[in-house]
Amino acid sequence: MPSTDSALLTASAIRKSFGGVEVLHGVDLHLARGEVLALLGENGAGKSTLVKILAGDYVADSGTVHAGDKEFSALDPIKSRALGIRMIFQELSDAPLLTVAENISMGTWASKSGIVSWSKMQERAKSALAMLGIDIDPTRLVGTLRIGERQLVEIARAISDNAKVLILDEPTAALSSAETDKLFEVINSLRDRGVGMIYITHRLDEVGIIADRVQVLRDGSQSLIADAKKASRVELVTAMIGHEIANVAHPEAGMHSGETLLEVSNLSLSNVFSDISFNLRAGEVLALYGKVGSGAEEVGETIFGLHPERTGTVTLNKKAFAPKDPIDAIRAFIGFLPADRQRLGAFMVRPVAENLAVPSWPRYSSRGIITKVKENAAYMRWSELLKIRSRNDPDQLIATLSGGNQQKVLLSRWFECDAKILVLIEPTRGVDVGARRDIYNTLRESAKENKIGILITTSDHEEVIQVADRVVVMSRGKKVTEYEGKKINNSDIIQAASG
């Protein structure tokens, strides 16, 4: 482990609030030269806020950052870059229509008298790639590369610009095992060169493999700092969730003996997930639980017809079901909520009643004309049943509602068109506690009373505990295990999903 005397970056007593709510409560962080620090914590723990302060995207309310021999009360992106701090985001920030060489030199293109030197750009790219042992043709368009290769190009770009600190946000979330191994080789090479790295991950099995130290945040405070090689999985999970590894009380789910609505057998999607099998029964809430990159989300999308290239078999009501697109799924009475409701689920500049009514338009129309009377009546009915907090105005734009109430409108959409199966991707992401409770109660009551099957894909372990009758745990594209009823607990599902 690198010596703590070789300080590269130190953050002291960092505090940050948003909207009057403090999300970081005096957090410290120390990074040495040639060290990999694993930064862990559940969603909302404050990891992203902390590293964005280091990258200059956010300004801390108080606290200091030491980089080298300089002290700063605040950083901006220009200062952070000048200090050699680079962040490799989970969502790639490259330019897919430019070549590898152009991406590596992006923002610092070699030029003479204002004219770009293409030969120097090629040399720079070859040097950066060779330094990291990366075998990629600099003339290839970045958009033609695999995700893992594109990530390596971003790292090469940072190193070619003299990066001293790399912040890696969930770097293996979308990588295959081979790509992960290559990334670890590059990280070890950078460690040997004295680059310090902050490694954010949900995959606990990676911590002991790649990190020197581990720091855990919980609810905006540091709950553990330890030697990564010595910290046990139990110790890490306990630090993350805030209590001893013990069963969290699970609601009375009941053992459902309803008929099987959906049966999935050996479902596979190339390079995403493989050989996934499970069934969904009437009156049941089934969770597919896995961290980012587990493939759980894509399984849900596949059932809704978003990935027709899949292999394996799906049986719906005892009949073969192979949706070519979402329209096939909707016609089979399958409803769907995407993870990004604002971009992919809702029509944000349209009224709430219209958003609710979209899949029911064929029933509402007369000679091709849709009357607002039926739309408005449906909205008012579901607004009362689901406790949608709004102005009780069907013409109110859905964009003016809170995230939880937007989600209730989109759920109502599928209840109104009498869906028999609901596929919900991260259904309470960005939803406050009160709205979460309402949504969970609605899902459980709808499953029980209306005998529909509800399939949730989620990376939130508390969501599984609160709402699921049964959970299938996934990790790296594979089904790991399955639990039902009272056997569902935080400890087992978190550890299983962590590999």
Side-chain angles (χ1 to χ4, degrees):
M1 179 183 295
S3 168
T4 55
D5 295 333
S6 55
L8 183 61
L9 182 70
T10 302
S12 303
I14 300 295
R15 293 182 177 273
K16 180 65 179 176
S17 297
F18 294 102
V21 178
E22 191 172 69
V23 297
L24 288 179
H25 313 301
V27 174
D28 299 330
L29 182 143
H30 178 94
L31 182 68
R33 289 183 177 84
E35 178 183 38
V36 177
L37 173 67
L39 186 60
L40 308 183
E42 288 294 279
N43 295 336
K47 306 185 302 296
S48 294
T49 300
L50 178 60
V51 297
K52 285 182 178 179
I53 287 172
L54 299 177
D57 294 332
Y58 291 160
V59 175
D61 297 333
S62 63
T64 58
V65 176
H66 287 80
D69 57 355
K70 297 180 180 179
E71 178 178 308
F72 301 87
S73 59
L75 292 173
D76 57 39
I78 295 175
K79 285 181 183 176
S80 183
R81 186 181 183 92
L83 292 168
I85 301 172
R86 301 287 186 279
M87 186 161 177
I88 309 297
F89 293 96
Q90 185 177 333
E91 299 295 333
L92 296 174
S93 56
D94 56 16
L97 297 181
L98 297 182
T99 66
V100 169
E102 289 167 334
N103 269 270
I104 288 175
S105 290
M106 194 158 50
T108 55
W109 286 10
S111 64
K112 184 177 181 180
S113 301
I115 300 174
V116 173
S117 172
W118 298 102
S119 60
K120 287 184 178 180
M121 189 185 297
Q122 293 290 327
E123 290 172 10
R124 180 180 183 181
K126 288 178 181 178
S127 175
L129 293 169
M131 184 188 305
L132 299 175
I134 301 171
D135 183 20
I136 298 176
D137 183 353
T139 65
R140 282 187 63 181
L141 293 180
V142 162
T144 67
L145 302 177
R146 298 190 304 274
I147 292 296
E149 293 174 321
R150 292 173 68 172
Q151 195 171 65
L152 294 175
V153 169
E154 289 212 39
I155 293 174
R157 181 173 72 189
I159 296 306
S160 73
D161 201 21
N162 299 314
K164 297 182 177 68
V165 174
L166 274 185
I167 302 170
L168 302 166
D169 181 17
E170 295 284 356
T172 62
L175 302 190
S176 66
S177 296
E179 289 172 328
T180 297
D181 291 343
K182 180 59 183 177
L183 175 65
F184 285 177
E185 287 179 18
V186 169
I187 289 175
N188 286 326
S189 171
L190 293 173
R191 178 195 274 123
D192 293 342
R193 293 174 180 275
V195 176
M197 286 161 279
I198 299 173
Y199 188 96
I200 300 173
T201 184
H202 282 298
R203 292 179 167 173
L204 302 187
D205 58 319
E206 295 179 347
V207 173
I209 297 172
I210 199 61
D212 300 297
R213 284 189 306 126
V214 57
Q215 178 167 342
V216 180
L217 298 185
R218 184 178 72 248
D219 298 330
S221 299
Q222 53 209 34
S223 58
L224 177 71
I225 298 177
D227 185 326
K229 309 301 181 189
K230 296 179 180 178
S232 70
R233 185 184 299 261
V234 170
E235 195 177 359
L236 295 176
V237 173
T238 301
M240 288 167 64
I241 65 179
H243 50 75
E244 293 295 325
I245 303 287
N247 291 0
V248 175
H250 187 272
E252 281 294 340
M255 303 300 284
H256 295 278
S257 57
E259 63 177 327
T260 297
L261 299 178
L262 183 76
E263 189 165 2
V264 174
S265 181
N266 299 319
L267 192 67
S268 300
L269 185 64
S270 181
N271 296 320
V272 181
F273 60 82
S274 61
D275 297 323
I276 304 299
S277 299
F278 61 86
N279 59 34
L280 176 65
R281 301 180 290 234
E284 177 182 45
V285 180
L286 171 66
L288 291 185
Y289 172 72
K291 295 302 183 182
V292 176
S294 67
E297 180 173 327
E298 289 81 2
V299 171
E301 292 174 345
T302 300
I303 291 170
F304 191 62
L306 288 169
H307 303 293
E309 66 274 21
R310 87 287 179 274
T311 59
T313 59
V314 178
T315 301
L316 180 64
N317 297 319
K318 300 180 180 179
K319 295 181 181 178
F321 178 62
K324 298 185 294 295
D325 52 38
I327 293 175
D328 280 350
I330 293 171
R331 287 172 177 164
F333 295 96
I334 297 177
F336 179 78
L337 290 188
D340 187 344
R341 64 177 167 272
Q342 294 189 356
R343 190 170 64 90
L344 301 175
F347 302 100
M348 298 302 289
V349 297
R350 303 304 303 167
V352 286
E354 193 171 305
N355 269 276
L356 186 151
V358 171
S360 299
W361 276 348
R363 289 193 295 113
Y364 290 169
S365 65
S366 175
R367 297 180 181 179
I369 299 174
I370 301 168
T371 62
K372 287 184 63 67
V373 174
K374 291 182 179 179
E375 283 187 348
N376 293 351
Y379 175 74
M380 295 306 294
R381 182 171 64 256
W382 289 108
S383 176
E384 181 178 355
L385 289 171
L386 268 63
K387 301 176 184 177
I388 299 173
R389 293 178 177 85
S390 65
R391 297 196 300 261
N392 288 327
D393 178 3
D395 288 326
Q396 182 178 356
L397 297 186
I398 195 170
T400 63
L401 271 58
S402 69
N405 288 298
Q406 290 174 8
Q407 198 74 323
K408 290 179 183 180
V409 171
L410 300 185
L411 271 175
S412 302
R413 170 188 290 176
W414 301 111
F415 293 145
E416 173 66 11
C417 72
D418 201 25
K420 302 303 181 187
I421 292 174
L422 293 181
V423 179
L424 313 178
I425 313 296
E426 302 284 359
T428 59
R429 177 180 289 171
V431 172
D432 64 53
V433 174
R436 277 185 173 226
R437 184 185 61 245
D438 290 343
I439 290 171
Y440 293 156
N441 288 339
T442 296
L443 294 178
R444 294 186 64 80
E445 289 170 6
S446 297
K448 181 179 178 181
E449 295 175 9
N450 301 324
K451 297 300 179 184
I452 65 176
I454 298 177
L455 176 66
I456 290 174
T457 78
T458 181
S459 58
D460 185 342
H461 63 87
E462 291 293 347
E463 185 154 83
V464 176
I465 298 297
Q466 291 294 319
V467 76
D469 297 301
R470 190 160 50 99
V471 57
V472 170
V473 183
M474 291 184 60
S475 178
R476 303 188 181 190
K478 296 284 188 179
K479 176 180 175 179
V480 178
T481 189
E482 183 174 329
Y483 299 101
E484 186 163 6
K486 290 290 187 179
K487 294 183 179 179
I488 301 174
N489 66 79
N490 274 329
S491 170
D492 288 344
I493 66 173
I494 290 175
Q495 293 193 52
S498 298

